[in-house]
Amino acid sequence: MIGKPFDRDLGNALHREVRCANDANCLAVSEATDGAGAGKHVVFAVVLGTGCGGGIAVDGRVLNGRNGVAGEWGHTALPWMHADEFPGPACYCGFVAASRRGFPAPGWKTITSAPPKPV
């Protein structure tokens, strides 16, 4: 779906306007509007599932940031890796050791199924 006009194609098939947005951004706005963060100036929302990410809402509106990725922490490096764990698992984006490869459910399965490291 990356680089494809999914919203336009779906809208054409349904004969109505369709808008697509990042799930974490939608969660942040939803919580800021009528959820746990209602009435708060800034809301940071985290999504953990098959991937991980975050969204930021300021005064109930998405904060996209200069590059459209404000709140997204899923591509930051995991800080606790041992030298023998590098380069780490590759993310679909090509980045290695991204937190989105360690925090979500598939990453926990990989981490917890590995034999423990000696201390």
Side-chain angles (χ1 to χ4, degrees), residues 43-68:
V43 174
F44 175 64
V46 173
V47 173
L48 293 174
T50 56
C52 67
I56 301 172
V58 178
D59 294 327
R61 300 183 64 119
V62 171
L63 175 68
N64 284 311
R66 178 182 225 168
N67 297 309

Side-chain angles (χ1 to χ4, degrees), residues 101-112:
R101 298 289 296 152
F103 287 121
W108 280 115
K109 182 178 178 187
T110 301
I111 291 168
T112 58

Side-chain angles (χ1 to χ4, degrees), residues 20-36:
C20 295
N22 175 280
D23 59 342
N25 288 344
C26 291
L27 174 62
V29 169
S30 176
E31 290 298 325
T33 302
D34 57 7

